[in-house]
């Protein structure tokens, strides 16, 4: 398969030191096992900038199985099943993270179906590298979800097409397209990405959007009523990155403009998000980073949750939302599949009622 197509495989590209374990390979069919487990001691649970009691937490463990098959004549089939689970308490806690299948051709690109990382995420993930204090200001995880309904994160019931174009000495151009059907109050949604890469430099933009018809609900709460609010859920972002995470200098920056991407969790209406990340990977397999993230509303702060459901999520009374954070940390790769990490988060914005946060932990990649 051509390198330009492989570049667009977000799931493979974002797995920092991880390598899937090959369980079976007969030259035509391949089965792999992947995922990770994490033990994290921290005073942060899920909501960055809102402190809680220090506890041992799992931080999104998951397990996945990948399937690849050579179909001949330049065609290949790939599929993945990934589930998340709670590794530290009892009870039924399994949840679907990914589930898709795709067919690719060396010349024609890749067509895929199911629950897959969105085309919006193709470039937005470049600032999403830290283990704990990472991308939460670009609307990816819409309304405190995985971005499945909106199609901004792990898109639900999506059809995607990706194609890479070689420009010779002038680099590579990569195109992504996405479609989702009507889902409740969310009308049909389209999305896409366009990424240019030359050497160590990448520049990308992505979009997702569609109309809202009626009452858009998240976890049973009406977060947007199209008769009272903007009757759309849209987002556009542009990102740039230089280098490779964990190897010498790595720089990434993203800028986002959205409508109703934060509905229910923070505010309805328009938003502007920014993220900046700088890191350096030393020869000792140590990576140090610093990041800045900011999210602002351009409209009324209106939440569908009570204070008990989202402790610490409250504006300062000026009717607008402004949160920002400075984070820094160190990651140490002990081996190719084991990681020690320590991260610290400082709240610098006007909103969210919380103290600074920390997290230290150990992650094991399957």
């Amino acid at each position: 398969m051509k390198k330009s197509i492989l570049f667009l495989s977000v799931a493979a590209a974002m797995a920092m030191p991880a390598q899937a374990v090959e369980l079976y390979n007969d030259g035509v069919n391949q089965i792999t096992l992947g995922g990770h487990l994490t033990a994290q001691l921290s005073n942060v649970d899920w909501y960055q900038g809102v402190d809680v009691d220090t506890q041992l937490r799992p931080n999104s463990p998951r397990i996945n199985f990948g399937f690849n098959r050579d179909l001949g004549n330049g065609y290949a089939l790939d599929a993945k099943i990934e589930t998340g689970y709670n590794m530290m308490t009892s009870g039924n806690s399994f949840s679907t993270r990914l589930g898709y299948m795709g067919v690719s051709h060396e010349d024609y690109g890749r067509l895929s179906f199911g629950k897959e990382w969105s085309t919006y995420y193709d470039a937005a993930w470049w600032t999403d590298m830290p283990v704990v204090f990472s991308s939460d200001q670009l609307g990816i995880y819409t309304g405190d979800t995985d971005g499945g309904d909106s199609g901004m994160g792990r898109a639900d019931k999506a059809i995607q097409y990706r194609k890479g174009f070689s420009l010779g000495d002038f680099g590579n151009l990569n195109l992504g397209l996405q479609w989702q059907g009507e889902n409740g109050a969310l009308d049909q949604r389209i999305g896409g990405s366009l990424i240019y890469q030359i050497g160590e430099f990448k520049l990308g933009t992505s979009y997702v959007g569609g109309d809202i018809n009626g009452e858009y609900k998240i976890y049973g709460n009406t977060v947007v009523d199209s008769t009272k609010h903007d009757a759309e859920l849209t987002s556009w972002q542009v990102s740039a990155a230089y280098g490779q995470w964990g190897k010498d200098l790595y720089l990434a920056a993203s800028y986002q403009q959205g409508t109703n991407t934060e509905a229910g969790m923070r505010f309805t209406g328009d938003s502007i998000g920014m993220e900046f990340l700088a890191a350096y990977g030393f020869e000792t397999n140590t990576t140090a980073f610093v990041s800045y993230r900011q999210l602002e509303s351009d409209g009324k702060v209106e939440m569908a949750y009570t204070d008990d459901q989202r402790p610490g999520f409250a504006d300062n009374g000026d009717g607008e939302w402004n949160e920002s954070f400075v984070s820094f940390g160190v990651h140490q790769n002990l081996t190719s599949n084991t990681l020690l990490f320590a991260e610290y988060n400082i709240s610098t914005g006007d909103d969210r009622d919380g103290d600074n946060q920390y997290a230290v932990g150990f992650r094991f990649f399957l």
Side-chain angles (χ1 to χ4, degrees):
M1 193 178 296
K2 290 185 177 179
K3 186 180 293 185
S4 58
I5 297 176
L6 287 175
F7 171 78
L8 287 170
S9 179
V10 176
M14 66 176 293
M16 294 176 285
Q19 293 184 359
V21 177
E22 187 175 79
L23 302 179
Y24 177 80
N25 192 337
D26 62 6
V28 176
N29 301 284
Q30 180 192 44
I31 302 175
T32 59
L33 170 69
H36 59 69
L37 309 175
T38 304
Q40 171 184 302
L41 188 67
S42 67
N43 68 335
V44 54
D45 188 3
W46 184 254
Y47 313 109
Q48 298 174 20
V50 179
D51 63 303
V52 294
D53 293 337
T54 298
Q55 292 185 12
L56 184 67
R57 294 180 168 87
N59 194 328
S60 191
R62 80 256 338 232
I63 186 170
N64 62 63
F65 291 92
F67 306 88
N68 297 280
R69 176 173 296 171
D70 186 348
L71 300 177
N73 298 317
Y75 289 94
L77 173 71
D78 70 282
K80 177 167 285 188
I81 301 171
E82 181 171 274
T83 182
Y85 59 94
N86 188 343
M87 60 176 278
M88 293 191 179
T89 61
S90 59
N92 184 6
S93 58
F94 287 92
S95 61
T96 300
R97 286 180 53 86
L98 299 171
Y100 61 84
M101 58 181 177
V103 177
S104 60
H105 188 274
E106 294 177 348
D107 297 320
Y108 307 139
R110 178 176 180 268
L111 184 65
S112 59
F113 313 85
K115 183 174 180 64
E116 189 172 3
W117 281 107
S118 67
T119 56
Y120 183 83
Y121 196 61
D122 284 350
W125 72 272
W126 298 342
T127 56
D128 196 15
M129 304 304 293
V131 174
V132 185
F133 304 111
S134 55
S135 188
D136 194 35
Q137 280 67 45
L138 300 180
I140 297 168
Y141 306 108
T142 317
D144 187 26
T145 71
D146 67 354
D149 286 346
S150 67
M152 297 176 65
R154 295 189 294 275
D156 291 348
K157 295 182 286 187
I159 299 176
Q160 298 179 352
Y161 173 75
R162 290 183 169 91
K163 177 74 169 72
F165 302 90
S166 175
L167 304 178
D169 293 338
F170 297 98
N172 294 295
L173 190 65
N174 301 278
L175 171 70
L177 300 172
Q178 177 177 295
W179 176 87
Q180 292 174 285
E182 183 179 349
N183 182 11
L186 294 180
D187 206 345
Q188 297 183 59
R189 294 165 312 293
I190 59 172
S193 63
L194 189 64
I195 298 171
Y196 173 72
Q197 180 176 13
I198 182 168
E200 294 289 297
F201 176 75
K202 295 181 289 187
L203 178 65
T205 185
S206 56
Y207 168 86
V208 67
D211 292 336
I212 299 175
N213 298 317
E215 295 185 0
Y216 172 41
K217 295 185 177 182
I218 298 177
Y219 303 138
N221 297 289
T222 298
V223 296
V224 176
D225 184 342
S226 62
T227 64
K228 302 176 182 178
H229 306 101
D230 291 328
E232 62 178 3
L233 195 160
T234 61
S235 186
W236 165 83
Q237 69 87 32
V238 60
S239 297
Y242 172 82
Q244 181 178 348
W245 176 268
K247 293 185 178 180
D248 299 323
L249 180 65
Y250 178 80
L251 301 171
S254 296
Y255 174 85
Q256 177 258 7
Q257 290 183 346
T259 299
N260 288 325
T261 60
E262 301 299 329
M265 190 176 182
R266 297 178 176 94
F267 50 84
T268 56
D270 297 336
S271 62
I272 295 176
M274 292 175 285
E275 296 186 352
F276 304 91
L277 176 66
Y280 193 87
F282 299 90
E283 294 183 358
T284 56
N285 295 322
T286 304
T287 300
F289 76 88
V290 60
S291 71
Y292 175 79
R293 310 181 311 283
Q294 180 175 329
L295 178 65
E296 295 182 353
S297 71
D298 191 26
K300 180 181 179 182
V301 175
E302 184 175 356
M303 302 181 188
Y305 302 104
T306 67
D307 291 340
D308 291 338
Q309 291 173 307
R310 293 293 181 273
F313 272 69
D315 72 299
N316 63 6
D318 62 2
E320 297 180 352
W321 188 268
N322 185 322
E323 66 179 32
S324 61
F325 304 96
V326 174
S327 302
F328 53 89
V330 176
H331 295 179
Q332 176 66 53
N333 294 323
L334 302 178
T335 65
S336 62
N337 63 349
T338 55
L339 174 71
L340 285 174
F341 62 88
E343 298 182 12
Y344 196 81
N345 191 49
I346 302 172
S347 179
T348 57
D350 296 331
D351 301 301
R352 288 211 195 185
D353 180 18
D355 294 330
N356 300 336
Q357 299 171 299
Y358 75 91
V360 294
F362 174 79
R363 173 163 287 181
F364 169 61
F365 293 86
L366 303 178

